[in-house]
Amino acid sequence: MTKLIEMITSHLTNWGLVWFCLIFWGSIFNAILLNIITFEVTKSFYLFGYTSGFLFGLFAKYKNWGWVN
Amino acid sequence: MFEKNLNQHDNFDIDAERLLARTFMGRVEWEMIVIGLGQFIFWIGIWFSVLSGFIPLWAGFFLSILSISFSYLPSHAGQHGHLSGKHKSLKWLNAVVGQISLIPLAQSHHILKAIHMKHHAYTNNPERDPDYFHTHVDHWWQAAINTHGQTGIGDPRLQKMVEMFMEEDEKFKSDIERGTVYSLIFFFAQMITAIYFPLETLLLWWVPRKLVTSYLGVIFSHQPHKSLPQGRYKDTRFWVNGIPRFFNHSMQIHVMHHMYPKICHFDEPKAIEALKPFMIARGIPGAEDLPDDISYKSLTFK
């Protein structure tokens, strides 16, 4: 159990911010977009929010923005 | 009352100070248990009310900010053992209530405890005080921003300090490791909640806890300690900001907490009234301007 937590912690130390932005901010960006747009969208449109979240995560990692999570 | 105390302790020696301070220690701070559990239940109630459409999201947002602003102090009381007082059999209350209270802030009680104990041990030391980087800044808004370095991946300077403490202090290391499990739970919990309730998670959890963290950095660290040197009677000040003490979580009298951390938060006003002559004799910043009776309205203006 301790080893598993160590492995997860080690991975998240490097990539946690990107994962967080992809899932947390991606979901939020999606929800905001769906609230703003009035026209019908295809399922692939959902990728837009998560892609934005992922890019935001890479940028946050580059800038060391710990506050985003 | 001031004159009376002066006559009682005309030598102001440390033993007399400690003897008097000890009379305010040891009780179970039940008020903090009520606040800790109460604000958590209230916050869950806000979620339930918003999701069931009973109140709008914007109302839930403002209520969450108010509610979460009460979530740190009960954990802080637990960090100092106030929730169990002198009763060893109740020690579990400190960690359990402390952690439940911190759920809205998505913070680990054990990590905050480990870091806070180092703050007490090395207050205002640039090399060893974990609060130094958001306390000793020029403006309050810098404190409000820098305090976020204490959460998430954090300020690299603080990370370095934490690694140093982990190497030299086994208890600190154990608390950090224990707390990491809770941090991971919060990390995943926020992501999962965001998938199902994205805007609610943003406005009932993430934004309120960020605003409250800024508030904590300014009111709990920056104002009481900014620009002060190290030293038991020099590192904390009495201060005012024009707002009644209640709305600042009584942090205007934070100096009492640094003199005697074992005195419960709600007993500090009475302890200050009794110890005021000692505080003046020791030259504590702001002690001379203290009123003889510390009420919720006092300390608003000098």
Side-chain angles (χ1 to χ4, degrees), chain B residues 46 50 55-64 204:
Chain B
I46 295 168
V50 169
I55 59 171
L57 184 55
W58 64 263
F61 170 66
F62 289 109
L63 286 172
S64 279
L204 301 181

Short mmCIF file of all heavy atoms in Angstrom, two decimals, chain B residues 46 50 55-64 204:
data_model
loop_
_atom_site.label_atom_id
_atom_site.label_comp_id
_atom_site.label_asym_id
_atom_site.label_seq_id
_atom_site.Cartn_x
_atom_site.Cartn_y
_atom_site.Cartn_z
N ILE B 46 -25.54 23.20 1.76
CA ILE B 46 -25.53 24.14 0.62
C ILE B 46 -25.51 23.34 -0.69
O ILE B 46 -26.28 23.63 -1.61
CB ILE B 46 -24.30 25.08 0.69
CG1 ILE B 46 -24.37 25.99 1.92
CG2 ILE B 46 -24.19 25.93 -0.58
CD1 ILE B 46 -23.07 26.73 2.21
N VAL B 50 -28.46 23.44 -3.45
CA VAL B 50 -28.22 23.89 -4.83
C VAL B 50 -28.60 22.78 -5.82
O VAL B 50 -29.30 23.03 -6.81
CB VAL B 50 -26.74 24.31 -5.02
CG1 VAL B 50 -26.42 24.52 -6.50
CG2 VAL B 50 -26.45 25.60 -4.24
N ILE B 55 -32.00 26.45 -3.64
CA ILE B 55 -31.40 27.80 -3.72
C ILE B 55 -30.59 27.89 -5.02
O ILE B 55 -30.08 26.88 -5.50
CB ILE B 55 -30.49 28.15 -2.51
CG1 ILE B 55 -29.33 27.14 -2.37
CG2 ILE B 55 -31.28 28.25 -1.23
CD1 ILE B 55 -28.27 27.55 -1.35
N PRO B 56 -30.47 29.11 -5.60
CA PRO B 56 -29.68 29.24 -6.84
C PRO B 56 -28.19 29.08 -6.57
O PRO B 56 -27.73 29.27 -5.43
CB PRO B 56 -30.01 30.65 -7.32
CG PRO B 56 -30.47 31.39 -6.12
CD PRO B 56 -31.08 30.39 -5.20
N LEU B 57 -27.45 28.77 -7.64
CA LEU B 57 -26.01 28.54 -7.50
C LEU B 57 -25.28 29.77 -6.96
O LEU B 57 -24.37 29.65 -6.14
CB LEU B 57 -25.44 28.11 -8.86
CG LEU B 57 -23.95 27.74 -8.91
CD1 LEU B 57 -23.60 26.66 -7.89
CD2 LEU B 57 -23.56 27.26 -10.31
N TRP B 58 -25.70 30.96 -7.40
CA TRP B 58 -24.99 32.16 -6.95
C TRP B 58 -25.15 32.37 -5.44
O TRP B 58 -24.22 32.80 -4.75
CB TRP B 58 -25.45 33.41 -7.73
CG TRP B 58 -26.89 33.80 -7.54
CD1 TRP B 58 -27.93 33.49 -8.35
CD2 TRP B 58 -27.45 34.58 -6.46
NE1 TRP B 58 -29.11 34.01 -7.85
CE2 TRP B 58 -28.83 34.68 -6.70
CE3 TRP B 58 -26.91 35.20 -5.34
CZ2 TRP B 58 -29.70 35.38 -5.85
CZ3 TRP B 58 -27.77 35.88 -4.49
CH2 TRP B 58 -29.14 35.97 -4.74
N ALA B 59 -26.33 32.01 -4.91
CA ALA B 59 -26.55 32.14 -3.46
C ALA B 59 -25.69 31.11 -2.73
O ALA B 59 -25.08 31.41 -1.69
CB ALA B 59 -28.02 31.94 -3.13
N GLY B 60 -25.63 29.91 -3.31
CA GLY B 60 -24.78 28.87 -2.73
C GLY B 60 -23.32 29.29 -2.70
O GLY B 60 -22.59 28.98 -1.77
N PHE B 61 -22.91 29.99 -3.74
CA PHE B 61 -21.53 30.48 -3.84
C PHE B 61 -21.18 31.38 -2.65
O PHE B 61 -20.18 31.18 -1.96
CB PHE B 61 -21.35 31.23 -5.17
CG PHE B 61 -20.06 31.98 -5.31
CD1 PHE B 61 -18.84 31.31 -5.36
CD2 PHE B 61 -20.06 33.37 -5.41
CE1 PHE B 61 -17.65 32.01 -5.49
CE2 PHE B 61 -18.88 34.08 -5.55
CZ PHE B 61 -17.67 33.39 -5.59
N PHE B 62 -22.04 32.38 -2.39
CA PHE B 62 -21.77 33.31 -1.29
C PHE B 62 -21.87 32.61 0.07
O PHE B 62 -21.07 32.87 0.98
CB PHE B 62 -22.71 34.52 -1.36
CG PHE B 62 -22.38 35.43 -2.50
CD1 PHE B 62 -23.21 35.53 -3.61
CD2 PHE B 62 -21.20 36.18 -2.49
CE1 PHE B 62 -22.88 36.36 -4.68
CE2 PHE B 62 -20.87 37.02 -3.55
CZ PHE B 62 -21.71 37.11 -4.64
N LEU B 63 -22.83 31.71 0.21
CA LEU B 63 -22.96 30.97 1.47
C LEU B 63 -21.75 30.06 1.70
O LEU B 63 -21.28 29.90 2.84
CB LEU B 63 -24.25 30.13 1.47
CG LEU B 63 -25.56 30.91 1.64
CD1 LEU B 63 -26.76 29.99 1.43
CD2 LEU B 63 -25.64 31.57 3.01
N SER B 64 -21.22 29.49 0.61
CA SER B 64 -20.03 28.63 0.73
C SER B 64 -18.82 29.43 1.20
O SER B 64 -18.05 28.95 2.03
CB SER B 64 -19.69 27.98 -0.62
OG SER B 64 -20.49 26.87 -0.83
N LEU B 204 -19.02 26.18 -5.59
CA LEU B 204 -19.30 25.84 -4.18
C LEU B 204 -18.06 25.31 -3.45
O LEU B 204 -18.05 25.19 -2.24
CB LEU B 204 -20.42 24.78 -4.08
CG LEU B 204 -21.77 25.14 -4.68
CD1 LEU B 204 -22.76 24.00 -4.45
CD2 LEU B 204 -22.31 26.43 -4.09
#
